[in-house]
Amino acid sequence: MSYSADGTRLFSCGSNKEGGSFLVEWNESEGVVKRTYHGLGKRSVGVVQFDTTKNRFLAAAVQDPQTNKYVDQRPSDGSVPPKIPPEFLTLVHSALEDSHSATRLSNSKPPFTFSPDICIVNFYSQNGRLGFHQDKAESKPSLSAGLPVVSFSIGNSAEFLYGGGRDVDKANKVVLESGDVLIFGGKARNVFHGVSAIKPDSAPISLITETNLRNPGRLNLTFMAVLS
Ligand SMILES: O=C(O)CCC(=O)C(=O)O
Ligand SMILES: [Fe+2]
């Protein structure tokens, strides 16, 4: 059970037999369910993550779990997300430039001008996972232009699956370590991907001491252009 940030609304979460997650808002005085938000576990569309070990609602980007559309306020409690800090945008741009200069064949310009308008924040505890999915809730122009997904890994390492069509058994696996940046755009924009496991205690010691976190888990920041 967990209260909304302003302490007025009570939520709990769970999963059904098919593995889909849902969030329940309770009417505390009457002890009955007020509203159920389905579809949170369908990671092809949802952005809400749960810490299953603590039954805690951790983070949500602004995506309506009922419609899968990005909206201005989080439907469950009306909260408005903060703007992406400019330092993060600088990091995204320099990661794109570095990747372009590492892979380009000529002195061409990057094939896209890109300014992300959302940052999805995923936190994975030790048992955290993310089902095999495509990122396709973004705007049609953004998807058809192949505007990239730029994804930063911080903390424990993750086994990241990608490719092989929609068949997870055919996917490739790469370990994403703290500090890694994964970029997929252009023809790869629709690639299926997911996180199959988090490697416990694999975060760099320096990160733990500098941030004073005892158990950092894995933090993933995924930047995308949703609206443009
Ligand atoms: O945690 C990751 O590395 C992937 C996150 C992701 O694919 C997503 O949020 O859509
Ligand atoms: Fe994704």
Side-chain angles (χ1 to χ4, degrees), residues 16-200:
N16 58 26
K17 279 192 215 139
E18 289 75 43
S21 301
F22 58 86
L23 182 69
V24 173
E25 181 176 359
W26 294 88
N27 179 330
E28 263 194 288
S29 53
E30 292 169 26
V32 294
V33 171
K34 213 161 143 187
R35 186 168 172 188
T36 304
Y37 299 87
H38 290 285
L40 303 174
K42 295 179 197 154
R43 276 303 295 123
S44 56
V45 291
V47 289
V48 178
Q49 302 294 321
F50 299 119
D51 180 338
T52 46
T53 56
K54 297 200 190 79
N55 200 27
R56 221 155 44 131
F57 179 34
L58 281 169
V62 191
Q63 192 175 24
D64 186 333
Q66 306 285 353
T67 63
N68 306 325
K69 299 264 183 262
Y70 290 99
V71 289
D72 292 338
Q73 296 188 335
R74 186 164 65 190
S76 56
D77 63 3
S79 61
V80 176
K83 289 209 176 336
I84 301 177
E87 297 85 346
F88 286 20
L89 295 177
T90 307
L91 280 174
V92 170
H93 286 132
S94 60
L96 279 168
E97 270 169 36
D98 289 349
S99 100
H100 183 66
S101 53
T103 53
R104 72 184 160 188
L105 300 173
S106 65
N107 285 337
S108 63
K109 287 212 152 109
F112 35 69
T113 48
F114 172 71
S115 201
D117 47 27
I118 68 154
C119 171
I120 297 175
V121 180
N122 294 307
F123 181 78
Y124 301 77
S125 58
Q126 199 154 308
N127 304 324
R129 299 223 185 320
L130 183 57
F132 212 45
H133 67 280
Q134 289 170 300
D135 293 339
K136 57 179 187 185
E138 295 72 60
S139 74
K140 281 224 170 77
S142 163
L143 288 172
S144 54
L147 294 184
V149 174
V150 184
S151 165
F152 292 75
S153 295
I154 302 158
N156 284 342
S157 304
E159 279 182 10
F160 185 84
L161 304 178
Y162 67 98
R166 54 179 66 240
D167 184 353
V168 69
D169 295 330
K170 295 194 180 133
N172 307 298
K173 189 192 290 180
V174 65
V175 173
L176 294 180
E177 295 179 349
S178 189
D180 283 347
V181 184
L182 178 78
I183 300 174
F184 52 97
K187 287 184 189 156
R189 180 58 179 76
N190 292 327
V191 72
F192 275 83
H193 58 280
V195 172
S196 54
I198 301 296
K199 293 180 178 272

